[in-house]
Structures are given as structure tokens and as C-alpha cells.
Amino acid sequence: MALVSEQYSGEYMEAANALSRLFPGEEPLVIAYHLKKYFPVRGIFRVVGYVRAVDDVSFMIPKGKTLGLVGESGSGKTTVGRLLLKLIEPTGGKIYFEGRDITKLRGKRLKEFRKKAQMVFQDPYGSLDPRQTVYDIIMEALKVHHMVPDDPYSYIVKLLEEVGLNETHVYRYPHEFSGGQRQRIAIARALAVNPEFLVLDEPTSALDVSVQAQILNLLKELQRSRNLTYLFISHDLGVVRYMSDYIAVMYVGKIVELGPAEEVFEKPLHPYAQMLLASIPIPDPELAKRKPAIKVIGEPPSPINPPPGCRFHPRCPKAFDRCRREEPPLVEVETNHWVACWLYKA
């Protein structure tokens, strides 16, 4: 049964109905459909190749939920996040937000979309202007979108209190804050225009462990109180498990496993996902001894010249001939648990 009404375009309905198999019963806010991003590699006089950072990726993010995107450095996670906010242009595919194809947006309509979708970057110091006070940083976002309230000072103070800061911080500069406080300022700036969707690009990776927990709890509380939808990008699997409703595992520009967070963590099916989860350290030595060892061989292939067939096959201990020849499709192996691996469709 279709999850979308006739008010939407035929292209959107096709994408939403195709992806409803992956997320049954969920209402989509963001849809990426056959999304691609190739970066040209330039020689002296011509383009000599392309970095296939994102290569035919499809997923949706349900309203009010969190999709965790995990994978090694260079797997394409951040590129996906930037594509969804149209910070970079896709090479191919479609991106839908609330049923609208945002790949076609320009000018005023693109600016309207940016009110609804914001990003919190990895480095809380690099993403804040060191020459501006907290007041100016947040006011800049409000001015750009013509959303300056009648009493901006009170609005900003209330926003800071919502993220765990207070009135004494309004006229301070970023260098006067700790890393965790700077990330709170970045979150406040993102929330200033009342967005519906946030891309969180490793928002806690630069913070101490104790501060990480505080920021994660803050993000969960904000999601509950404001009904926010998150794309949570991280290589820290413990953090992703805590934050996410669904998990997508990426490898060299492809999604290789997708499903509910607990299902993926408790029973990873793709050999790459198994390798990732096996790398999580266990603090108890006795439990660590009983943990099955998974030997990791080789390095990730170059996204400029990925191998034929399954991109993980050069490192996979379970690979066979078909893995080297044909690229596996994403198939449902268990209820709502999807994997791109010939082991499950051989």
C-alpha cells in the first residue's frame, strides 16, 4: 500500500513506495534515491578520473527518528550529509524533503529549505567565527533567514538555556569556552531558525568522553521536545547505537547493511559490519576473551578505482567467485534487516 498521497509527484511516489520496504510503517521526511556524488580528479590538462564518494545510495529518514550512518573514514558518510543539505550538488539521483525534490531548488526556495534543515559540524571551534560573540553568531543565522524576533536578546538567552548555557555566556567569544560548551553554541545556532531536520556530523568526536555523554543526552532531549529528525554520522559505534533508531553501514560509497539499530548491533550480517562491530573494545577481560576474533586483512580500496563486484571482496574472508564478478543488491535477509552480500543470495 502506498505511503504517499496523490498530491506528490510520480517520481516521489515511486521513490517513497520503493523505500517503504526498507522502513515499513514509517512516514518519510528525507529521501535519498539512487544518490551519487563523483568528484573529478584533474590532471594537467584534463580530468583523469573520478572519486566515487557516494555511488548509488538509497534510503529514507522517518519523521522524528534518527538514522545512524557508520563506516570507516573515506566511506562517504560526510558527503551524504552535505548532499542532503544541498551544500554540494549531486552527480545523480534525487533528494526529497517533505515530498519536494530539493535537487532542483534555487534562490529563494533553497533558502526556505535551509530554514528547515541545518547541520552541526564535527569541530565546534572551526565552525564558529572566533571574531564574533555568541550573540552575533546566533543573530547572524536569524538575520540571514529574516527571522529576527522583537526581543532578540531574550530569544537568544532562552535558546542558550535550552542547550545548557546561560545569560552570562551571551557576549563571550568562542575561545572562552570549553569544547563541550562550543558544541552547545553550535547546536543553539542550528536550532535558532526552528529546523525540522539536523545533520549531525560526528558532533562528539572532538570531545572528552564525559562531555560526549552530556551532548548526546542533550541531543536526545531536543529531539523529543522539538520532534526533530536526525542523520547521525559517526565512526563511534557505541555512540551510534545509543542515538539511532536505524543504522546504515557504508563501505566505499555503498550501503552494505541497513536495519533497526538493535537488530544490526545484535546480529550483524554483512562481513564488513561484523568486522566493524568486532572492533568495539570490551572493558571486561573475561568477556573479551570469549569474543570471536575476526581477522581484518588489507586496506579499503581507492574510491577512484573500486574493485568489480562487491567492493569488500578483497578484504572479505568469505568471498567467492561471484563476489568478484557481480555487485550484490540490497536484499531483505530478516524482517526489516537488509544486506548487500552474495552470502545471502548465492
Side-chain angles (χ1 to χ4, degrees), residues 268-284:
L269 298 176
H270 195 281
Y272 176 65
Q274 293 170 357
M275 183 191 81
L276 277 182
L277 294 173
S279 69
I280 301 175
I282 297 176
D284 187 329

Side-chain angles (χ1 to χ4, degrees), residues 35 43 58-59 95 198 215 240 245 280 284 341:
L35 192 59
S58 297
F59 61 86
I95 304 166
L198 288 183
I215 297 298
V240 171
D245 298 291
I280 301 175
D284 187 329
C341 181

Side-chain angles (χ1 to χ4, degrees), residues 61-342:
I61 308 177
K63 285 186 178 180
K65 299 294 180 65
T66 300
L67 175 67
L69 199 56
V70 301
E72 293 171 283
S73 296
S75 61
K77 307 185 300 295
T78 295
T79 303
V80 167
R82 291 174 180 269
L83 285 169
L84 294 188
L85 297 184
K86 213 168 184 293
L87 297 178
I88 54 178
E89 293 287 338
T91 304
K94 297 288 186 181
I95 304 166
Y96 298 99
F97 184 86
E98 294 183 326
R100 175 187 287 186
D101 181 3
I102 68 163
T103 57
K104 299 177 180 178
L105 296 184
R106 298 289 184 275
K108 185 178 179 182
R109 290 185 176 181
L110 178 59
K111 199 170 182 179
E112 289 173 356
F113 161 70
R114 293 262 168 81
K115 286 183 186 178
K116 298 181 178 182
Q118 292 285 309
M119 189 166 190
V120 177
F121 295 91
Q122 179 176 356
D123 181 5
Y125 191 73
S127 65
L128 301 174
D129 189 336
R131 297 167 295 180
Q132 290 186 322
T133 64
V134 173
Y135 180 89
D136 294 328
I137 287 169
I138 297 176
M139 273 298 291
E140 184 176 29
L142 294 169
K143 287 177 180 176
V144 164
H145 292 289
H146 308 291
M147 294 179 65
V148 179
D150 294 334
D151 185 359
Y153 181 83
S154 297
Y155 180 82
I156 290 171
V157 169
K158 184 178 179 182
L159 202 58
L160 291 178
E161 289 173 347
E162 190 176 2
V163 299
L165 299 175
N166 57 58
E167 190 173 0
T168 64
H169 298 126
V170 173
Y171 292 114
R172 294 187 188 178
Y173 290 87
H175 73 268
E176 299 179 74
F177 295 94
S178 67
Q181 289 174 319
R182 286 197 288 263
Q183 198 61 293
R184 291 175 188 269
I185 296 166
I187 293 169
R189 177 180 60 182
L191 295 177
V193 293
N194 295 316
E196 298 175 32
F197 174 53
L198 288 183
V199 173
L200 304 167
D201 186 9
E202 307 218 29
T204 60
S205 63
L207 308 177
D208 294 337
V209 174
S210 60
V211 180
Q212 282 186 17
Q214 296 170 18
I215 297 298
L216 294 175
N217 288 332
L218 170 64
L219 290 170
K220 293 204 82 165
E221 173 58 28
L222 290 170
Q223 183 176 39
R224 185 196 62 78
S225 61
R226 288 175 170 254
N227 193 31
L228 295 169
T229 303
Y230 292 158
L231 174 67
F232 193 93
I233 300 167
S234 182
H235 63 272
D236 188 327
L237 298 171
V239 167
V240 171
R241 183 174 191 173
Y242 177 70
M243 287 295 298
S244 304
D245 298 291
Y246 296 94
I247 298 285
V249 181
M250 284 194 74
Y251 185 74
V252 195
K254 292 278 189 181
I255 289 179
V256 297
E257 187 159 353
L258 176 65
E262 286 304 313
E263 181 75 18
V264 172
F265 273 89
E266 291 298 328
K267 193 177 179 181
L269 298 176
H270 195 281
Y272 176 65
Q274 293 170 357
M275 183 191 81
L276 277 182
L277 294 173
S279 69
I280 301 175
I282 297 176
D284 187 329
E286 292 302 318
L287 289 177
K289 287 179 184 177
R290 295 197 293 269
K291 182 179 180 180
I294 297 178
K295 186 177 180 181
V296 181
I297 57 175
E299 297 290 333
S302 168
I304 299 175
N305 186 27
C310 174
R311 295 187 178 183
F312 188 59
H313 84 253
R315 305 174 70 191
C316 181
K318 302 175 182 178
F320 52 97
D321 286 344
R322 192 175 188 183
C323 303
R324 300 178 183 92
R325 297 193 314 268
E326 300 177 44
E327 186 176 301
L330 201 63
V331 295
E332 188 175 22
V333 176
E334 297 182 356
T335 305
N336 303 340
H337 195 162
W338 297 75
V339 184
C341 181
W342 288 121

